[in-house]
């Protein structure tokens, strides 16, 4: 075993070759590019060969590097497969579900209580991440993700569509009573959701559809996930775009009030994403029945290509 190079350097080297450059490898491994260069240098020192040739800002793998990569890649893939199998076996008596923080806080956890009521011995673990790339689908039993329903290699079932309305706490709603859409946009304060990928509806989208004549909108507060946005609205700090399905209980109990009854909808939505065979298990069916709408069956699921 003393002949093995450091595993960290091996992981970096494999990512650099597989992804084609140091920048993508740094992004996947969530480290800075200097750390990538350091690990490659360490591996070169350990092996005693040059692995990459610099041509300007581009690093080109040498012939020795490609030979080395082909030798170790299959072994690394076998290690990953064996590790996934071991983790899955360790989880057999439990359930691991991944999703976004806002969905977990305001929508998922109350529904998972039904699963626990029907199976007291089941240990449930919920993990959250704000970005899809930080949710390891191969390491969880299922996930709730936002998109168009297409996740290659996985089954997906629609839980609810993206339908949003502006909402605020009663005190803020009272101050804006009778306000026009333009007034809501300019007076706010608006609670914006930071979304660099522009996946979810924003206040700019709402303005474009509901009040296109309004040029400038309140800059308000910007937060990083929908859970924080809803919490800020509940605390009376401004007006948020709330997802129907997530905020229903809060609006029914008048903790939040809808400022404009006309919803804005898209073809996107939140999906239960699972492996091909998860819904065929007893736990999988129990989760499905607890999360999905009454009368739904797994036959409505979509298979990724």
């Amino acid at each position: 075993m003393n002949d093995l190079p450091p595993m960290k350097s091996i992981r970096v080297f494999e990512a650099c070759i597989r992804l084609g450059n140091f920048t993508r490898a740094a992004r996947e491994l969530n480290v800075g590019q200097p750390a990538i260069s350091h690990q490659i240098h360490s591996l070169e020192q350990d092996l005693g060969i040059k692995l990459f040739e610099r041509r300007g800002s581009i690093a080109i793998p040498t012939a020795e590097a490609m030979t080395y990569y082909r030798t170790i890649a299959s072994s690394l893939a076998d290690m990953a497969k064996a590790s996934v199998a071991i983790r899955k076996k360790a989880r057999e008596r439990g359930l691991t579900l991944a999703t976004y923080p806002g969905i977990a806080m305001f929508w998922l956890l109350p529904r998972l209580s039904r699963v626990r009521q029907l199976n007291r011995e089941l240990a449930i673990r919920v993990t959250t991440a704000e970005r899809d790339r930080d949710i390891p689908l191969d390491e969880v039993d299922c996930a709730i993700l936002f998109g168009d329903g297409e996740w290659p290699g996985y089954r997906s079932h629609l839980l609810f569509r993206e339908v949003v309305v502006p909402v605020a706490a009663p005190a803020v709603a009272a101050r804006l009573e009778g306000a026009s859409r333009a007034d809501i946009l300019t007076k706010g304060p608006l609670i914006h959701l930071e979304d660099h990928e522009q996946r979810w509806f924003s206040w700019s989208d709402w303005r474009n559809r509901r009040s296109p004549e309004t040029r400038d909108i309140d800059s308000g507060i910007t937060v990083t996930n929908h859970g924080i946005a809803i919490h800020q609205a509940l605390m009376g700090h401004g007006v948020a775009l709330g997802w129907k399905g997530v905020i229903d209980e809060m609006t029914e109990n008048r903790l939040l009030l809808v400022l404009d009854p006309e919803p804005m909808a898209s073809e996107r939505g939140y999906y239960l994403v699972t492996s091909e065979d998860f819904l065929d298990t007893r736990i999988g069916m129990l989760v499905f029945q607890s999360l999905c709408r009454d009368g739904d069956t797994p036959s409505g699921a979509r298979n990724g290509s």
Side-chain angles (χ1 to χ4, degrees), residues 193-199:
L193 177 63
E194 186 175 88
D195 177 19
H196 297 302
E197 298 175 353
Q198 298 182 335
R199 299 176 63 199

Side-chain angles (χ1 to χ4, degrees), residues 6-210:
M7 183 54 68
K8 183 179 291 186
S9 296
I10 290 292
R11 286 189 65 202
V12 167
F13 170 74
E14 186 276 337
C16 289
I17 297 291
R18 173 169 49 83
L19 297 173
N21 62 52
F22 286 16
T23 301
R24 294 194 191 104
R27 188 179 302 123
E28 178 176 283
L29 298 174
N30 198 28
V31 298
Q33 192 160 326
I36 297 293
S37 299
H38 173 74
Q39 291 299 330
I40 293 297
H41 179 70
S42 296
L43 185 58
E44 290 176 331
Q45 293 286 97
D46 185 277
L47 297 176
I49 62 170
K50 195 73 173 173
L51 295 172
F52 293 88
E53 295 287 349
R54 284 284 183 180
R55 296 180 185 174
S57 61
I58 301 175
I60 306 296
T62 63
E64 290 87 351
M66 295 307 300
T67 299
Y68 188 53
Y69 174 77
R70 285 190 290 269
T71 302
I72 68 171
S74 60
S75 298
L76 290 173
D78 288 341
M79 289 173 59
K81 188 181 296 183
S83 299
V84 169
I86 290 294
R87 294 188 192 110
K88 186 174 181 180
K89 186 173 182 179
R91 298 196 309 262
E92 283 180 353
R93 298 183 64 181
L95 168 71
T96 301
L97 193 154
T99 190
Y100 313 112
I103 292 295
M105 186 187 312
F106 293 113
W107 189 86
L108 174 63
L109 292 177
R111 287 162 174 79
L112 282 182
S113 64
R114 306 176 195 168
V115 179
R116 285 281 296 157
Q117 289 170 3
L118 296 173
N119 193 327
R120 296 287 185 181
E121 302 302 315
L122 181 66
I124 300 176
R125 179 171 179 260
V126 177
T127 66
T128 63
E130 294 181 8
R131 301 174 298 184
D132 285 17
R133 65 174 177 265
D134 296 327
I135 295 179
L137 284 175
D138 59 345
E139 296 182 13
V140 299
D141 295 299
C142 55
I144 297 173
L145 300 177
F146 179 80
D148 59 4
E150 297 295 332
W151 283 270
Y154 296 89
R155 299 176 69 185
S156 64
H157 194 288
L158 180 66
L159 297 174
F160 54 94
R161 291 281 182 200
E162 183 186 31
V163 180
V164 301
V165 289
V167 292
V172 176
R175 179 171 57 79
L176 291 171
E177 185 176 3
S180 66
R181 289 166 170 171
D183 287 339
I184 293 173
L185 288 166
T186 56
K187 294 179 181 178
L190 302 182
I191 301 170
H192 299 268
L193 177 63
E194 186 175 88
D195 177 19
H196 297 302
E197 298 175 353
Q198 298 182 335
R199 299 176 63 199
W200 288 275
F201 278 139
S202 67
W203 278 111
S204 293
D205 296 319
W206 196 80
R207 183 267 312 277
N208 293 342
R209 294 197 187 188
R210 298 289 180 259

